[in-house]
Amino acid sequence: MRGVVETRDAVRGKKLKAVESIRDAIRQIREVDGALHAASDVFEADALREAEDLDRRIARGEEPGPLAGVPFTVKDNICTRVGKTTAGSKILASYRAPYDATVVARLRAGGAICVAKTNMDEFGMGSSTENSAIIGPTKNPWKTTHVPGGSSGGAAALAAASRGMIHLGSDTGGSIRQPASYCGVTGLKPSYGRVSRYGLLAFASSLDQIGMLQADARECAAALEVLAGKDAKDSTSGAVPVPRYLEELERGVRGLRVGVAKEYFPEGIEPEVAERVRQGIDTLRSLGVEVREVSLPHTRYANPTYVLISGAEASSNLARYDGVHYGYRTDASRGLIDLYAKSRVEGFGPEVKRRIMVGTFVLSAGYYDAFYNKACKVRKLIRNDFEKAFREVDAIVCPTSPVVAFPIGEKIDDPLKLYAVDVLTVPANLATVPGISLPCGFTREKLPIGLQIYGRPFEDATILRLAHGFQGATKHHLDAPPVRARSS
Amino acid sequence: MEVTDELVLHVARLSRLAISESETRELKSHFQKVLAFISAFQELDTASVDPSIFSVDASNVFRDDEPCPSLPRADALASAPASDGVYFVVPRIVGGDAGSAAPQSGVDKGEAAGRAELESGDDDELGGA
């Protein structure tokens, strides 16, 4: 089956028509989506029209772009002109964005074609994709009674069950890497500022980052090459030169220094997860990577810090959903303030309300110093840990999640239990470092286990090289789940 | 610290969330759990640590002062729950009965359809640095 790079090469080399590539992508989605519930919308007519247009341009001899004819899907919190952008929320159930996010515009300018939007936890708040108010929970293709992880669960499930598409996701505390881990795919959260956030519905602006969920590190590199770079519309995007990530992969991993921290094998980690990740570290060692012990002593404070900072920023960012400018408005209100308060309470789901409330609380008079400001100070300590570790090593290797995919419904009634799942992914967002999750084996139940690699800010190429090296020596990423579209 | 109904309702008012009684109960219990969850870091001495609020060093990023197209008004209003084609329509907020129901269209643009930026006076105060 064709991957992203092969599709691009075939379309550019006129061996495959863009229309055939798109038709095949839509066939794959339709084939698996009854079982998975991963796509919130599919754009067959629009996508085929764009593909026909691309084929005509190729026939005329025009340059079709570095991702010519590659189908892509977009997490539903990223704005697209085509279809709706709901963020999985009732409050945006009928919202149509008037513009494309920069990431969507860049993929389209590169010749890629949007075929679907993918399901997610409302506003990215969740780790299981059970909190979608629009189409309900997404299923894990390895075991459909289990969650795919979240919040980019729709993207992760489709990435595992199909081939040859780019799946855009977003990651505020692990929302790309954790579902990638649970679905046995490769998920990259680039460095903060590496990819523009313009057009991403903001959850926590100092933590949010767009990335992708793919079959392997090579596909992540191909997509990042097009997505990365300064964007005038996002002043937090970095003016750092964009390497040729695909070429960087070929530099190999020999001599790279990788750190292993005991804090990333916490109490409560499933023994099979720890075991497979340690085997993965041995694999890296066998490839000539130098493995050293490092310490990140403030890791245990990362999750509480994340809960406070992300909540505070969410309470501010989600103030824009007011029943006035776009989205849901209540039928019955008395006056403007009542209109806001009723529209919001009726439009937001329970988890979103919890986070807004906690966030407002920690920013409110009398509590700001004890909670929000304290959390920002602890974030500084967490960043210091990484800076110190990265003076000794080029990357840090750890599990992505202390657990594997769990049954749908198991944790949904206890939000704190669900927050605990993020313990190994939130540090990357707090510290602005890039992180990638890749499959490193399975449990006896045949549920995927993810190995995570962290790198220095803007050294995304280093973790892609390590992931690519690992995937050259292992076959976990090639295993197909029981729910999988047929080869074309 | 003790989480009271009053605290939850105060925060709900600041959050512009008209929560129900059952939501108040649920959120009260959630606040208690969150406070326990974050209690670990209260033990950390951070007196000499500078808070890290932002994720980039840049401040005051300006663009060149060049005219460029902005979002057309029709596009900006397209997803509004109520508009008169020129303004977002909201309930009367000045000069009249603030308790009256929202007009569904701009019958009297000058008064009934206030601009959305305007907000009635409210003495809520958010804390902050």
Side-chain angles (χ1 to χ4, degrees):
Chain A
M1 237 173 161
R2 274 186 316 268
V4 164
V5 179
E6 293 72 31
T7 297
R8 168 197 84 168
D9 290 344
V11 172
R12 287 178 61 87
K14 301 188 185 178
K15 292 188 176 70
L16 176 73
K17 288 208 180 301
V19 165
E20 296 168 68
S21 158
I22 297 307
R23 207 170 272 143
D24 187 55
I26 286 166
R27 174 194 61 81
Q28 290 191 63
I29 294 172
R30 294 213 195 283
E31 213 173 286
V32 297
D33 206 42
L36 300 180
H37 231 62
S40 51
D41 206 352
V42 180
F43 310 119
E44 184 164 14
D46 294 272
L48 285 173
R49 203 174 312 121
E50 266 181 69
E52 282 163 14
D53 186 52
L54 182 66
D55 282 331
R56 275 193 293 272
R57 285 189 280 135
I58 291 171
R60 285 199 298 267
E62 291 176 31
E63 163 58 44
L67 292 173
V70 174
F72 70 96
T73 73
V74 180
K75 186 177 178 181
D76 210 15
N77 60 348
I78 299 174
C79 289
T80 49
R81 273 181 166 282
V82 61
K84 292 174 192 160
T85 299
T86 72
S89 182
K90 180 183 168 191
I91 212 159
L92 287 175
S94 57
Y95 177 64
R96 289 180 181 275
Y99 61 93
D100 278 336
T102 294
V103 285
V104 172
R106 285 195 182 204
L107 288 181
R108 289 170 52 120
I113 293 167
C114 180
V115 293
K117 297 291 281 270
T118 54
N119 196 26
M120 59 182 288
D121 287 299
E122 185 174 357
F123 285 106
M125 298 175 184
S127 307
S128 62
T129 316
E130 291 167 284
N131 287 331
S132 168
I134 301 296
I135 63 165
T138 294
K139 318 284 169 58
N140 190 314
W142 290 92
K143 198 169 190 186
T144 52
T145 51
H146 283 48
V147 302
S151 65
S152 309
L158 272 187
S162 65
R163 275 310 304 275
M165 300 175 225
I166 291 170
H167 303 279
L168 292 179
S170 69
D171 187 315
T172 305
S175 281
I176 288 175
R177 291 160 287 151
Q178 183 255 16
S181 159
Y182 287 13
C183 290
V185 299
T186 305
L188 173 70
K189 180 202 91 73
S191 307
Y192 184 81
R194 180 71 291 183
V195 172
S196 168
R197 291 182 292 115
Y198 179 73
L200 169 67
L201 304 193
F203 162 9
S205 309
S206 75
L207 308 169
D208 293 343
Q209 186 58 60
I210 293 175
M212 69 299 289
L213 299 97
Q214 302 300 138
D216 55 35
R218 191 160 163 255
E219 292 193 348
C220 292
L224 187 63
E225 219 165 275
V226 173
L227 293 169
K230 179 74 187 165
D231 175 18
K233 290 171 175 161
D234 174 5
S235 59
T236 63
S237 60
V240 179
V242 178
R244 290 178 170 276
Y245 290 106
L246 278 170
E247 287 176 18
E248 287 284 322
L249 297 182
E250 306 311 325
R251 291 176 56 196
V253 297
R254 186 163 292 279
L256 285 173
R257 298 162 306 166
V258 152
V260 178
K262 61 177 181 313
E263 294 89 350
Y264 277 83
F265 293 85
E267 217 178 292
I269 189 170
E270 286 178 11
E272 281 179 296
V273 171
E275 196 181 311
R276 292 286 167 268
V277 171
R278 290 198 190 280
Q279 282 173 359
I281 293 165
D282 289 338
T283 302
L284 286 171
R285 198 182 276 118
S286 74
L287 297 170
V289 172
E290 186 189 328
V291 178
R292 292 187 189 181
E293 187 134 331
V294 294
S295 178
L296 297 139
H298 295 93
T299 301
R300 58 186 288 245
Y301 304 108
N303 214 348
T305 303
Y306 171 80
V307 167
L308 296 195
I309 291 178
S310 67
E313 294 186 18
S315 76
S316 171
N317 275 322
L318 272 61
R320 75 194 61 184
Y321 304 104
D322 56 2
V324 173
H325 299 96
Y326 35 70
Y328 175 83
R329 172 183 280 198
T330 184
D331 289 331
S333 71
R334 289 177 296 112
L336 187 64
I337 303 295
D338 195 48
L339 175 107
Y340 294 153
K342 285 215 177 86
S343 298
R344 288 162 61 78
V345 89
E346 291 166 19
F348 290 133
E351 181 59 21
V352 175
K353 284 185 255 193
R354 279 182 212 120
R355 305 231 192 168
I356 290 174
M357 287 285 289
V358 167
T360 304
F361 167 64
V362 302
L363 289 173
S364 65
Y367 301 104
Y368 180 92
D369 277 321
F371 295 108
Y372 177 68
N373 204 39
K374 177 95 183 187
C376 290
K377 288 176 164 199
V378 181
R379 164 153 66 177
K380 179 72 180 170
L381 296 173
I382 291 163
R383 287 182 182 179
N384 291 347
D385 281 357
F386 276 98
E387 273 172 35
K388 191 159 159 264
F390 282 133
R391 284 200 284 271
E392 307 280 320
V393 294
D394 303 300
I396 293 164
V397 180
C398 59
T400 307
S401 171
V403 299
V404 295
F406 42 88
I408 291 172
E410 186 187 270
K411 297 184 200 289
I412 197 70
D413 293 328
D414 189 348
L416 275 298
K417 227 190 221 172
L418 203 50
Y419 298 173
V421 165
D422 302 334
V423 59
L424 306 178
T425 46
V426 294
N429 305 77
L430 291 166
T432 78
V433 305
I436 191 166
S437 176
L438 54 155
C440 69
F442 295 85
T443 63
R444 273 178 294 275
E445 249 194 300
K446 194 73 183 170
L447 289 168
I449 296 168
L451 174 144
Q452 184 173 221
I453 309 174
Y454 284 165
R456 296 187 192 98
F458 285 94
E459 294 189 15
D460 306 68
T462 305
I463 63 173
L464 284 166
R465 273 165 69 193
L466 284 161
H468 182 64
F470 184 87
Q471 290 178 331
T474 57
K475 292 195 185 319
H476 313 297
H477 61 294
L478 301 175
D479 269 1
V483 178
R484 167 86 150 196
R486 282 176 296 115
S487 296
S488 50
Chain B
M1 66 174 285
E2 200 199 342
V3 182
T4 60
D5 284 359
E6 289 67 39
L7 176 70
V8 173
L9 290 169
H10 170 66
V11 173
R13 200 164 58 88
L14 293 175
S15 304
R16 299 284 187 261
L17 287 168
I19 54 173
S20 65
E21 265 179 53
S22 65
E23 282 176 308
T24 308
R25 273 197 304 278
E26 196 267 332
L27 285 161
K28 190 170 151 186
S29 130
H30 182 67
F31 270 37
Q32 272 152 349
K33 285 185 204 156
V34 168
L35 287 173
F37 186 66
I38 63 172
S39 64
F41 83 18
Q42 298 300 344
E43 76 204 34
L44 265 179
D45 179 12
T46 53
S48 59
V49 182
D50 284 333
S52 153
I53 294 172
F54 302 108
S55 291
V56 287
D57 296 329
S59 63
N60 294 340
V61 178
F62 297 109
R63 64 170 173 82
D64 294 334
D65 188 17
E66 282 165 5
C68 58
S70 53
L71 195 63
R73 176 152 61 192
D75 288 3
L77 291 170
S79 281
S83 87
D84 63 1
V86 182
Y87 294 115
F88 296 101
V89 174
V90 297
R92 181 188 297 274
I93 50 175
V94 283
D97 179 5
S100 67
Q104 286 310 299
S105 64
V107 184
D108 179 350
K109 222 177 283 171
E111 285 182 25
R115 286 171 197 245
E117 302 92 59
L118 287 176
E119 207 176 300
S120 67
D122 196 86
D123 57 2
D124 289 336
E125 258 182 41
L126 285 179

